Amino acid sequence: MWPNTILIISLILVMDCYSKTISQNSGHDFWDETEPFGQSTAVAADLRLPKSVQPSFYRLKLKADLEKSKFTGDIYITIKANEKVKEIILHSKGLIIDKNATLTEQIYENVQTIQSSKVKRQVNESSIESTSQNTTNNDVTEFPMLNSTLESEPATISPVNTQVIHSNVRNIKIISITESTGDRLVLALASALVPDIDYTLKLSFEGNISNSLTGFYKSTYKDSNNEIREMGVTQFEPTSARAAFPCFDEPAFKAKFEISIAHPQNMSVLSNMKISTEESVPGEPNWQWTHFERSVDMSTYLVAYVLCDFKYLETSYTARDNITKTIRVWTQPAFISKANYALNITPKLLAFYEDVFGVPYALDKIDLIAIPDFSSGAMENWGLVTFRETTLLFDEKEGVPGEKRGVAIDVAHELAHQWFGNLVTMKWWTDLWLNEGFATYVEYIGVNHIEPEWNMFVTLTRDKMTLLRSDSLKNTSPVSRKVIDASEISQKFDEISYTKGANLIRMLNNTISEELFLKGLAIYLDTWKYRNAEENDLWKAMSQATRSTDSLKDVSIVSFMNSWTRQAGYPVVNVKRDYATGNVVFEQRLFCSSPSPYTNMEKQIWQIPISYTTTDVPHEQWSLTPKLWLKERSVTEKLNLKSDHAIYVNVGAIGYYLVNYDQKNWELLSQALKSGAIDDPITKAQLIDDSFNLAKTNRLEYSYALGLTSCVVNGEDSKIVWEMLLDNMSFLKHNLKSTSGYLYFQDYMRLLLAKQLEKLNYGLSKPADDNEALLVENLLLWECMVEGPRCLHWAKAEFRKWMEQTDVNDNPIPSYLRSLVYNVAIKYGGREEFEFLWNIFQNSTDPTVKTLIISNLPSTREASLITFLLEKSLTDIPKQYAALAWSTDVPASTRLAQNFLINNFDRVYQVFTNLDSFTFPNILNMVFGFISDTDELDKLKRFALQHKEKLLPMSQTLQKIVDSANLRITWIRKYSLGINEWFKNYMQEHTQQNTTTVEPEWTQNITISISDSNTTASSR
């Protein structure tokens, strides 16, 4: 699954009594910071189903009535016990279960006969019918049957001619059916199940087709006649299959599925497998049964079915197993032309993945469908992949580069899951990252293959650098984190599982070589296909692939990777050179943005592969291959380095760690950067990003990090350099905005942007390629954010020109600049501009248009309009857009949103938690995610304590908000005055010299701490 926004983040252990008030004289704070709120070492009693009963086959028959929002069904589950048990426990949520359930046992016997052959067929569990014969056991009823089946399976001819197989079916009495905690359905039996015998459990059930975005739910859209059309959709990951049919709803309970759906004849029905047959429903005109082929073994969360009146585009490809496999892209009829790009790239990606993994795609078809109402970005259901409309459809004429890139990434991600997640599935949610981290890494490989000019591995590096900020928070979590409560499952779908998992896999690939990495993957997939694995199973496969490699003989792949996946956070590698002897000390410490990290985390040691080069080596000779290992706290190496050239560690930023250097080496790196000796964009971006992270935590003088930013003052073409520079300056922007020196920050940013914007003609000329288009949009956005007069005037004029058009569908604003123009017009405009966009949002049926508008309407500064939007998010705004109304402008509008949430908590909570388990945590992050003073932080803590029970399932979101707020509050108090003074001095000197090539004194004022990570470095 690819969440639309991965923002699931964490909460603190609070005092037992909420009624305590805040007091400066209190012996302890009302908010206990000693350990995360809601965390416990004890596993919830109802978290896991017993392993004593295992399913192997589901026969699901479902009748779906969209008009009445009801469904009814029968489920036949073939189960087997591995020990004697007198109860069956499975999952059911919100379903009405018919008490007339049956449990039958199938017994096979060899019977002497004069027949000339023995015929043995598997009995279809869904079709056992016979006349009963009572036995002496009152708990069991026997049904003698001979070779009975409804399945068209070939007979097995035996050479033995004197026996046939008799099969007896016995009914096992079910004493009671009760619902229990943890969505558990408990069937008490009169007699124990016998191990290694097949039983068939039949349950009849009914339920409501929900208006949420999980389980089996209803989605709607308006057709070309402006009439509302309804469709039925499923979204089962992580734990919602149980809301659609009774099942063993855990990843490890893999089974085959055979699905039949009764539905109106004017609708199409899709499921994981191909359609096998269709037939009318007796006695119900205009209804039909659609029967699907039996599936491969898969987990319940991957089951899917959709009822719709969509159209499709079709293609095919010949797979590695020499089978031609059908690909269809489905969408509402009005958008069928937007399906072409996805249709074009899907066969290329599937064929490429087959070549890379050495394993063919497992099924005979794959459908990709754009759902009008959808929570996540997409969902990898095996053979039937569901998407948001904006993540599958792309308008070749009006679409912008970011939208096209988004479609490619989402399609590549979900197709990668067909191997990593579907073919091989994690055993339990603890190892969700095996699914999501792998799919994320592979998505970059796949998109880089089909769109090489996008330089996707540079994007992967940028995403890693961005993640390093949140992964340095005090309450960050390991990639492989035990799930001990059901509420924690949804919180696993975060940037740690996705982006950190992907970058750790990339680091492994780089460490052992791509050849051996792919060999290990082939071993892993072949060993665990159609089964469930844990992370060490992957590491053991990699160990097998690298066993005969001399350079890795001292490396335990299991220990190496466990040090990264099972420990929270990441290290900073401190590099200290002795320029006289040539000795270099490499030392590792936890990198944490908090001055008081947890003691157990401070003791962590990682196994770090260290790559390095020097600035006198030409860039084309730089090697990403590790040259040494840091497995202890520190190691000293004698290196033949020239004292007047810098060492550069973590070449290409492949390693998941930061690097700090001694003062002289920093100065040498700065000189190399300014002289052009370092011209590699990734290295530039890495040095800028590392320096800001180090400065933020007192490990480096801030004047150095700020000084590095001037490397772009005369222009810079690299997108990643600008992205990392602007990302770090964004932190300063938010924290300095309420200070008197913010004006100098604005002036400095305008100076940095000026040359490159002029070079790009301010976006008025058509960009040379997609990368340039994205760069132009980012730079113009910043020019407007720092209130550059040219940008503001231009954006307002463009919007006014559009408003004056006779036909609003004739939009004169360049498509790749519309988001920027809308934002400026709404922020600096009033009710007129707001209502103009709001009316277009209401009347448009295009999801891209609606998403673009609702993402920018919250930038208004009018309190009444903010309140209007928040109210509408609870009523009129369609459910998949509603959360975007909360992305208000910082800081004034976010305070309005905070108060609205606090005063209307029950309403807001009910609306968004009823949709899914992801949306409300995202709203918390948007509303409270930029707290910068203690009053706001205390308000959040009181709010969290007041609603503690309801907020426990989103504890990680709240805890990271608190960690980030503490960081900002401390930062403003400690650094804002000195940084404002730096900007003031720089701009005054620039004005006096009337030049853009200023070299201020910061280059001579660098202080750093190597051995003591808590040493304070003052800021100028």
Side-chain angles (χ1 to χ4, degrees):
M1 185 165 67
W2 187 246
N4 194 48
T5 49
I6 304 175
L7 293 170
I8 314 295
I9 21 191
S10 218
L11 182 56
I12 296 183
L13 183 64
V14 297
M15 305 297 289
D16 291 335
C17 181
Y18 164 65
S19 61
K20 291 186 180 290
T21 58
I22 306 174
S23 171
Q24 296 297 328
N25 300 320
S26 173
H28 50 266
D29 193 359
F30 79 110
W31 182 273
D32 185 356
E33 301 277 359
T34 57
E35 59 179 298
F37 177 26
Q39 300 238 340
S40 167
T41 55
V43 177
D46 60 1
L47 178 65
R48 305 289 297 273
L49 294 179
K51 298 179 180 178
S52 52
V53 177
Q54 302 274 338
S56 62
F57 174 64
Y58 292 84
R59 177 72 175 97
L60 173 61
K61 300 176 70 177
L62 193 77
K63 182 181 180 182
D65 192 330
L66 289 173
E67 186 175 335
K68 296 179 180 178
S69 296
K70 297 281 186 182
F71 62 88
T72 58
D74 298 310
I75 188 87
Y76 301 81
I77 312 175
T78 302
I79 59 174
K80 185 177 290 185
N82 51 41
E83 60 181 272
K84 285 193 173 184
V85 290
K86 296 187 70 174
E87 66 177 8
I88 300 170
I89 303 177
L90 66 163
H91 287 117
S92 174
K93 182 177 182 180
L95 300 174
I96 299 173
I97 306 296
D98 192 324
K99 299 303 180 182
N100 295 320
T102 61
L103 179 66
T104 58
E105 173 188 346
Q106 186 73 47
I107 302 173
Y108 298 93
E109 296 178 309
N110 290 332
V111 179
Q112 292 296 127
T113 178
I114 58 173
Q115 299 292 328
S116 61
S117 65
K118 180 179 79 171
V119 180
K120 179 178 179 180
R121 290 190 176 124
Q122 181 180 347
V123 175
N124 185 334
E125 295 81 2
S126 68
S127 56
I128 300 171
E129 296 180 2
S130 182
T131 304
S132 64
Q133 293 182 348
N134 292 330
T135 68
T136 56
N137 186 339
N138 292 329
D139 297 333
V140 178
T141 304
E142 290 193 358
F143 299 85
M145 301 181 69
L146 178 63
N147 306 328
S148 176
T149 182
L150 292 183
E151 299 182 26
S152 301
E153 295 189 0
T156 302
I157 307 300
S158 170
V160 180
N161 296 323
T162 59
Q163 292 183 334
V164 296
I165 301 297
H166 271 285
S167 59
N168 289 328
V169 176
R170 299 193 305 165
N171 264 1
I172 310 299
K173 184 177 181 180
I174 299 174
I175 297 174
S176 64
I177 303 176
T178 57
E179 295 180 355
S180 183
T181 58
D183 304 328
R184 306 213 288 183
L185 190 68
V186 181
L187 284 70
L189 310 178
S191 58
L193 299 181
V194 178
D196 300 323
I197 296 292
D198 281 338
Y199 295 87
T200 299
L201 172 65
K202 179 196 174 185
L203 295 168
S204 297
F205 59 93
E206 61 181 272
N208 295 320
I209 300 175
S210 77
N211 287 316
S212 69
L213 296 174
T214 61
F216 184 24
Y217 70 92
K218 185 183 294 185
S219 178
T220 62
Y221 72 94
K222 288 184 179 180
D223 65 14
S224 57
N225 296 319
N226 210 32
E227 294 180 358
I228 294 178
R229 314 288 292 187
E230 295 182 335
M231 57 187 294
V233 184
T234 59
Q235 170 58 42
F236 292 159
E237 190 180 32
T239 58
S240 292
R242 65 191 69 176
F245 56 91
C247 57
F248 295 79
D249 199 13
E250 294 181 10
F253 289 115
K254 284 194 171 186
K256 293 179 172 63
F257 290 80
E258 197 170 302
I259 297 173
S260 296
I261 297 178
H263 60 93
Q265 289 179 342
N266 62 349
M267 302 199 81
S268 299
V269 180
L270 310 175
S271 188
N272 304 86
M273 305 301 291
K274 282 183 173 181
I275 295 173
S276 58
T277 57
E278 296 174 325
E279 59 179 324
S280 60
V281 178
E284 296 194 50
N286 303 319
W287 278 70
Q288 74 176 42
W289 281 103
T290 297
H291 306 288
F292 295 91
E293 294 179 356
R294 182 174 295 195
S295 76
V296 296
D297 284 315
M298 63 183 185
S299 303
T300 50
Y301 78 86
L302 294 170
V303 174
Y305 37 88
V306 174
L307 293 79
C308 64
D309 61 354
F310 281 6
K311 303 296 183 183
Y312 64 84
L313 298 180
E314 180 177 316
T315 188
S316 63
Y317 82 108
T318 302
R320 189 182 180 91
D321 53 10
N322 207 32
I323 295 174
T324 299
K325 303 189 177 185
T326 302
I327 299 165
R328 290 177 176 174
V329 180
W330 297 74
T331 181
Q332 52 175 294
F335 299 153
I336 195 69
S337 64
K338 297 182 180 182
N340 279 298
Y341 181 65
L343 188 76
N344 179 49
I345 64 176
T346 298
K348 297 177 183 177
L349 286 164
L350 287 171
F352 176 67
Y353 288 163
E354 289 188 350
D355 288 342
V356 171
F357 307 142
V359 178
Y361 170 64
L363 306 185
D364 290 341
K365 67 92 177 176
I366 189 165
D367 292 298
L368 293 76
I369 184 167
I371 308 297
D373 301 292
F374 201 71
S375 172
S376 303
M379 176 64 208
E380 67 267 19
N381 314 298
W382 214 344
L384 175 55
V385 187
T386 46
F387 294 81
R388 275 196 176 204
E389 289 179 317
T390 52
T391 60
L392 182 64
L393 307 178
F394 176 69
D395 189 330
E396 299 280 359
K397 293 182 179 178
E398 288 290 318
V400 301
E403 293 165 0
K404 185 176 184 180
R405 194 170 293 212
V407 170
I409 287 171
D410 274 30
V411 171
H413 183 93
E414 304 310 325
L415 295 183
H417 269 310
Q418 307 303 303
W419 286 264
F420 298 100
N422 298 8
L423 186 65
V424 181
T425 310
M426 77 269 161
K427 190 170 289 186
W428 179 238
W429 300 105
T430 293
D431 288 322
L432 172 69
W433 83 272
L434 277 180
N435 284 19
E436 299 300 349
F438 249 108
T440 302
Y441 179 56
V442 171
E443 90 190 24
Y444 290 96
I445 298 175
V447 177
N448 193 66
H449 172 72
I450 59 172
E451 303 283 4
E453 70 279 3
W454 289 354
N455 300 319
M456 288 303 295
F457 291 114
V458 176
T459 303
L460 175 57
T461 302
R462 180 210 62 194
D463 292 346
K464 184 209 75 171
M465 293 180 186
T466 301
L467 176 61
L468 290 175
R469 296 186 198 108
S470 61
D471 199 21
S472 70
L473 294 174
K474 182 175 182 177
N475 284 287
T476 189
S477 56
V479 169
S480 182
R481 181 180 72 248
K482 289 184 178 180
V483 174
I484 58 178
D485 186 85
S487 67
E488 296 180 2
I489 294 175
S490 63
Q491 297 187 88
K492 289 284 290 180
F493 290 84
D494 63 2
E495 69 275 19
I496 299 297
S497 291
Y498 286 73
T499 307
K500 184 172 183 177
N503 277 281
L504 296 185
I505 293 165
R506 184 191 191 191
M507 184 169 66
L508 172 64
N509 181 3
N510 183 74
T511 300
I512 67 175
S513 81
E514 183 170 299
E515 179 184 357
L516 294 177
F517 177 77
L518 294 178
K519 181 180 177 181
L521 281 190
I523 294 171
Y524 173 71
L525 290 171
D526 185 62
T527 303
W528 294 98
K529 59 188 176 186
Y530 304 111
R531 298 164 64 195
N532 298 83
E534 297 175 306
E535 67 169 355
N536 276 353
D537 296 319
L538 174 61
W539 309 145
K540 289 173 183 176
M542 293 294 171
S543 299
Q544 185 177 341
T546 59
R547 188 172 296 156
S548 59
T549 305
D550 290 339
S551 61
L552 297 170
K553 63 182 179 181
D554 297 326
V555 177
S556 164
I557 301 296
V558 175
S559 299
F560 163 40
M561 293 307 296
N562 282 347
S563 77
W564 291 94
T565 62
R566 299 188 179 186
Q567 297 187 131
Y570 61 90
V572 54
V573 174
N574 297 312
V575 180
K576 187 174 183 179
R577 296 173 61 181
D578 184 326
Y579 292 86
T581 65
N583 288 339
V584 181
V585 178
F586 296 87
E587 179 200 45
Q588 62 167 298
R589 295 280 180 180
L590 170 72
F591 183 82
C592 183
S593 60
S594 169
S596 55
Y598 296 115
T599 302
N600 63 324
M601 289 179 63
E602 286 188 288
K603 295 178 181 178
Q604 292 176 169
I605 298 289
W606 289 265
Q607 295 191 17
I608 309 174
I610 303 287
S611 62
Y612 64 85
T613 188
T614 54
T615 53
D616 59 327
V617 176
H619 175 257
E620 58 272 14
Q621 295 180 23
W622 290 4
S623 173
L624 303 178
T625 304
K627 294 182 178 179
L628 62 91
W629 284 82
L630 180 56
K631 298 181 182 180
E632 306 295 335
R633 179 66 65 195
S634 66
V635 64
T636 301
E637 294 283 331
K638 189 173 181 63
L639 304 179
N640 294 319
L641 305 179
K642 297 177 181 178
S643 61
D644 58 345
H645 284 86
I647 185 175
Y648 160 50
V649 176
N650 194 12
V651 181
I654 301 292
Y656 196 82
Y657 55 91
L658 297 179
V659 184
N660 201 357
Y661 303 93
D662 60 77
Q663 177 175 338
K664 181 177 179 180
N665 200 80
W666 270 119
E667 293 172 354
L668 292 171
L669 284 170
S670 174
Q671 293 168 13
L673 195 64
K674 290 173 177 293
S675 68
I678 294 179
D679 61 357
D680 174 56
I682 288 179
T683 306
K684 288 183 182 180
Q686 178 185 6
L687 291 174
I688 290 171
D689 194 57
D690 280 10
S691 67
F692 271 95
N693 285 320
L694 295 166
K696 195 185 301 181
T697 56
N698 293 335
R699 291 170 170 86
L700 184 65
E701 180 72 20
Y702 240 118
S703 55
Y704 175 77
L706 291 168
L708 279 184
T709 63
S710 67
C711 71
V712 302
V713 76
N714 290 318
E716 170 60 59
D717 294 329
S718 169
K719 186 166 72 75
I720 190 175
V721 172
W722 278 109
E723 285 171 337
M724 300 323 301
L725 186 153
L726 296 175
D727 281 358
N728 283 287
M729 298 304 271
S730 181
F731 180 82
L732 271 61
K733 173 183 175 292
H734 287 300
N735 294 332
L736 298 176
K737 198 166 188 177
S738 60
T739 68
S740 60
Y742 182 65
L743 297 175
Y744 301 114
F745 170 80
Q746 289 180 305
D747 291 341
Y748 181 74
M749 290 306 302
R750 293 177 198 170
L751 178 65
L752 292 189
L753 297 164
K755 286 290 185 181
Q756 190 62 28
L757 279 172
E758 181 182 355
K759 183 177 180 181
L760 296 172
N761 194 27
Y762 303 96
L764 301 179
S765 302
K766 185 177 179 180
D769 53 33
D770 288 352
N771 285 321
E772 186 173 290
L774 293 168
L775 175 59
V776 167
E777 183 181 13
N778 200 8
L779 297 182
L780 284 173
L781 174 64
W782 264 88
E783 186 190 14
C784 284
M785 282 200 304
V786 295
E787 299 181 328
R790 188 215 65 84
C791 185
L792 295 181
H793 175 77
W794 165 80
K796 292 175 186 177
E798 288 291 300
F799 194 82
R800 176 59 58 179
K801 191 188 305 180
W802 182 30
M803 291 180 66
E804 293 172 352
Q805 293 286 112
T806 304
D807 181 6
V808 295
N809 294 317
D810 184 15
N811 191 335
I813 306 169
S815 57
Y816 62 94
L817 296 177
R818 285 175 186 171
S819 180
L820 163 65
V821 171
Y822 296 177
N823 187 278
V824 171
I826 296 299
K827 181 178 295 185
Y828 295 96
R831 181 174 173 179
E832 181 186 12
E833 290 81 3
F834 184 94
E835 289 184 343
F836 175 77
L837 271 190
W838 172 253
N839 289 333
I840 295 175
F841 172 80
Q842 286 187 300
N843 295 321
S844 177
T845 59
D846 189 322
T848 303
V849 171
K850 294 178 83 74
T851 300
L852 186 61
I853 291 175
I854 197 62
S855 298
N856 285 290
L857 282 174
S859 64
T860 179
R861 296 176 175 180
E862 298 285 340
S864 61
L865 297 178
I866 289 293
T867 305
F868 169 85
L869 268 182
L870 299 180
E871 284 284 358
K872 289 295 184 181
S873 76
L874 306 180
T875 54
D876 296 347
I877 298 177
K879 48 197 170 187
Q880 82 270 25
Y881 304 110
L884 293 173
W886 291 76
S887 58
T888 53
D889 198 36
V890 179
S893 297
T894 52
R895 294 193 178 107
L896 284 171
Q898 289 168 11
N899 293 333
F900 185 93
L901 174 59
I902 291 169
N903 295 331
N904 299 274
F905 174 77
D906 290 335
R907 290 172 62 208
V908 179
Y909 179 86
Q910 182 176 2
V911 167
F912 290 108
T913 55
N914 282 347
L915 290 182
D916 58 32
S917 57
F918 303 109
T919 304
F920 192 75
N922 289 347
I923 287 176
L924 289 176
N925 196 68
M926 287 186 281
V927 171
F928 292 108
F930 293 93
I931 290 174
S932 58
D933 64 57
T934 54
D935 289 341
E936 278 189 287
L937 181 56
D938 287 341
K939 179 167 66 173
L940 167 63
K941 291 178 177 180
R942 287 192 296 269
F943 164 76
L945 291 176
Q946 181 181 355
H947 304 289
K948 174 181 175 180
E949 293 303 317
K950 289 184 176 179
L951 295 177
L952 272 173
M954 50 214 72
S955 59
Q956 291 175 42
T957 299
L958 286 166
Q959 184 54 64
K960 286 192 175 182
I961 291 173
V962 171
D963 287 349
S964 297
N966 283 326
L967 171 63
R968 277 190 292 273
I969 292 167
T970 301
W971 188 94
I972 292 171
R973 183 176 64 248
K974 189 169 188 176
Y975 293 116
S976 60
L977 288 176
I979 288 177
N980 282 336
E981 188 68 17
W982 190 93
F983 286 131
K984 178 181 178 181
N985 291 340
Y986 189 102
M987 292 311 300
Q988 286 178 345
E989 186 169 352
H990 169 75
T991 301
Q992 291 168 5
Q993 296 183 6
N994 193 27
T995 177
T996 58
T997 55
V998 180
E999 293 290 342
E1001 295 179 2
W1002 57 263
T1003 54
Q1004 302 303 319
N1005 290 276
I1006 306 164
T1007 59
I1008 118 173
S1009 166
I1010 291 294
S1011 60
D1012 183 0
S1013 63
N1014 292 318
T1015 298
T1016 300
S1018 60
S1019 176
R1020 286 185 62 199

